[in-house]
Amino acid sequence: MIINSKSIEFRLADSPIPTYKPVMNYLNYFISLPRCLILLGAMIVASSLSAQEKAAIPAFKKGDRICFFGDSIFHGGQIEADVLLFYATRFPDAPLEVINCGVAGDMASRAIPRLDWDLKARKPNVTVLMLGMNDVGRWLYGKGKDTPAIAPHRTHMLKKHFTYMDRIINEIKAMNSKVIVCTPTPYDQTTKRKSYNIFGVNDALGLCAENIYKKAGPNKWAVVDFYALMNRVSSEQQAKDPNFTMMGAGRVHPLASGHLLMTYALLKAQGISPYITKIVLDSKKAIPVETINCTLFGLKQTENSMRFDYLSKALPFPISNEHRVVLDWVPFMADLNQELLQVKNLQAGNYEL
């Protein structure tokens, strides 16, 4: 590969699944100049990254007890597992406690009675809240349901949801738990797959999301928008394949890929650094220019080569076969999963790594 710029970057991707121990990732690099550039494993050449946006929601920290409070979409436990795995690999010295407080079929009004025994009793200092899929009253939508007689019932269900969501959020704050309010995940009413379709449900969920955003500013709510991101991805993918969906057969529950997309939205909102590790070297100097989340040692440079060892303080988030499709939807690797080596001030030519 011919390099015509004065710097080159290598990003490691698709790393193996790590073990669940305090993570130390040890690698040895040898760079020989100038020669044919060989990218071992799954390295790819990358351009410089744009600056990371400022976090709107603080990242979880060591010792946090986090409750995911919601309906069956949290009850299934997939997003909790994905979030915990990300934090275990990225921040191995800062363990978290993640508690599943999802209940299948729940809605805001039904969740009120269990606040005491299922949430307050666990004393979380952070609560991730998402409700809405059952609150809209899915039985009020679908073919033949757009009638003047049905409309007031739809309005009633939405108003009830808005009222009880306010109450739940206020009660969570009163127990000194930070609350992260999530817009509901979509109902996929646009995929062409042959399954029962209650058209109109996703529009009602959009009103739930709109209500959250309307109140977020005045009430200083921390918000993660699952609804907008997941609808956007579905629209983009269904333009290519009308049968695309990230939901299960009932059009309600996200598949593993949908849950990873939700995890991506949460981590991005938290402003997580894209770097597992980052090393910047200068071919004209025998000292590292920059290191992030790793220790570099044994750097030796000759006229034609550089050699060093480094000890990483983290591991890449493992991408399973079920998750891999998400990499085509959003820049997960660039935004959250980079292990980057950059060498500056190279002359144009061929190099071997």
Side-chain angles (χ1 to χ4, degrees), residues 312-334:
S312 172
K313 297 178 182 178
L315 283 177
F317 179 84
I319 302 296
S320 69
N321 288 334
E322 290 179 303
H323 287 154
R324 193 167 298 277
V325 66
V326 178
L327 306 186
D328 296 328
W329 306 344
V330 292
F332 186 96
M333 303 302 283

Side-chain angles (χ1 to χ4, degrees), residues 218-233:
N219 293 286
K220 298 181 180 180
W221 292 349
V223 175
V224 177
D225 196 348
F226 294 149
Y227 183 83
L229 175 63
M230 297 175 81
N231 272 300
R232 175 177 65 79
V233 169

Side-chain angles (χ1 to χ4, degrees), residues 34-35 37 42 46-47 97 101 103 107 115 172 220 222 253 268 271 278 296 306 325 329:
R35 286 191 139 184
L37 175 66
S47 60
E97 185 177 5
C101 290
V103 171
M107 57 179 66
L115 280 173
I172 293 172
K220 298 181 180 180
H253 298 100
K268 281 286 289 177
K278 180 181 179 181
L296 186 146
M306 301 173 70
V325 66
W329 306 344

Side-chain angles (χ1 to χ4, degrees), residues 92 102 111 154 192 230 275:
R154 293 179 177 179
K192 299 302 181 183
M230 297 175 81
Y275 300 120

Side-chain angles (χ1 to χ4, degrees), residues 226-269:
F226 294 149
Y227 183 83
L229 175 63
M230 297 175 81
N231 272 300
R232 175 177 65 79
V233 169
S234 288
S235 179
E236 291 170 352
Q237 297 305 311
Q238 287 170 5
K240 304 171 189 176
D241 175 9
N243 292 316
F244 170 88
T245 186
M246 66 181 77
M247 304 299 177
R251 300 174 181 254
V252 168
H253 298 100
L255 301 170
S257 57
H259 280 285
L260 184 62
L261 192 61
M262 295 164 65
T263 302
Y264 170 82
L266 174 59
L267 296 172
K268 281 286 289 177

Side-chain angles (χ1 to χ4, degrees), residues 293-341:
N293 207 36
C294 63
T295 302
L296 186 146
F297 52 95
L299 177 61
K300 296 178 181 179
Q301 184 168 342
T302 68
E303 183 179 352
N304 296 315
S305 70
M306 301 173 70
R307 180 189 293 273
F308 66 91
D309 299 328
Y310 95 96
L311 189 64
S312 172
K313 297 178 182 178
L315 283 177
F317 179 84
I319 302 296
S320 69
N321 288 334
E322 290 179 303
H323 287 154
R324 193 167 298 277
V325 66
V326 178
L327 306 186
D328 296 328
W329 306 344
V330 292
F332 186 96
M333 303 302 283
D335 287 349
L336 295 170
N337 212 28
Q338 292 196 54
E339 193 168 16
L340 189 142
L341 167 64

